[in-house]
Amino acid sequence: MKKLFIILLTVGAFLSGCTNSQKSAAQAAATPASIYDYKVESLDGGTIDFADFKGKKILIVNTASKCGFTPQYADLQKLYDENKDRLVVVGFPANNFMSQEPGTNAEIGEFCQKNYGVTFPMAAKVSVKGSDIAPIFQYLTDKNLNGVKDSKILWNFTKFLIDENGRLIDSFNSATKPTSDAIVKHLR
């Protein structure tokens, strides 16, 4: 642990003296190169290891319980149920937009199960934008990191589709339903 702390201090000191382009290169080098390098805390306190999903597509969604798009949980569950052999849906509760996810991890889990029968993996609550953005969302939204495109998360229920090899296919805004052809065509 002490060695990790020293390494982090060294990287931080290095980055503070770098230009922006040098910082981007150093951050990219320190950032996982693949979605499969990420492990995140699950809603129930366990771990979601994205390496476990190799060979399947992954749909990552930032979620909220008190949003006009919250009924999309039903379509996310339907999509997951109908495509379990080739798709994993992973929900990431976030409170970044008008405090629409104020609950604790336990409250969020209970809400999702009670109201939508959610059985797909749910991560612990994270931030999906700003200075405290979760590393996985930094990866998903930055072309320098994901190698495909820059994306902005403008609201809850933004979706990111990853292919069977861990490469970002595309991102979809909140209004794009999980069962829309824009997403489903990639599952055929």
Side-chain angles (χ1 to χ4, degrees):
M1 185 69 171
K2 187 175 180 180
K3 287 181 182 180
L4 177 62
F5 180 72
I6 291 170
I7 290 169
L8 290 174
L9 279 175
T10 304
V11 169
F14 171 75
L15 289 177
S16 67
C18 293
T19 65
N20 282 342
S21 62
Q22 289 171 321
K23 284 181 186 180
S24 272
Q27 286 169 337
T31 301
S34 164
I35 196 73
Y36 300 133
D37 294 330
Y38 285 93
K39 293 179 184 180
V40 298
E41 182 182 351
S42 67
L43 205 56
D44 62 7
T47 300
I48 298 171
D49 183 347
F50 282 82
D52 292 342
F53 306 140
K54 285 182 181 177
K56 290 187 176 187
K57 289 190 170 77
I58 307 168
L59 185 65
I60 297 173
V61 186
N62 69 302
T63 62
S65 300
K66 298 180 182 293
C67 175
F69 294 109
T70 300
Q72 286 189 16
Y73 270 123
D75 282 344
L76 289 167
Q77 184 63 46
K78 178 181 178 184
L79 192 67
Y80 178 65
D81 288 340
E82 292 176 354
N83 298 282
K84 279 185 185 178
D85 59 324
R86 61 183 180 251
L87 172 74
V88 177
V89 174
V90 183
F92 279 84
N95 197 34
N96 294 98
F97 304 99
M98 294 183 60
S99 300
Q100 293 183 342
E101 189 56 272
T104 64
N105 287 334
E107 291 168 337
I108 295 165
E110 184 179 326
F111 172 86
C112 290
Q113 179 58 45
K114 178 181 173 185
N115 294 294
Y116 297 100
V118 168
T119 61
F120 55 82
M122 290 287 293
K125 189 158 71 170
V126 298
S127 178
V128 298
K129 68 176 199 161
S131 62
D132 61 342
I133 188 172
I136 194 167
F137 280 91
Q138 186 173 9
Y139 174 84
L140 291 168
T141 58
D142 187 340
K143 181 179 181 177
N144 292 322
L145 302 177
N146 65 49
V148 177
K149 69 181 273 191
D150 287 322
S151 300
K152 291 209 182 290
I153 298 178
L154 301 175
W155 204 253
N156 303 307
F157 290 87
T158 298
K159 299 149 200 80
F160 296 87
L161 187 60
I162 312 296
D163 74 13
E164 298 88 342
N165 300 307
R167 186 166 169 85
L168 179 65
I169 295 173
D170 207 349
S171 60
F172 306 90
N173 68 34
S174 306
T176 304
K177 293 182 178 183
T179 54
S180 72
D181 191 53
I183 293 173
V184 174
K185 72 180 181 183
H186 296 286
L187 303 178
R188 295 181 185 130

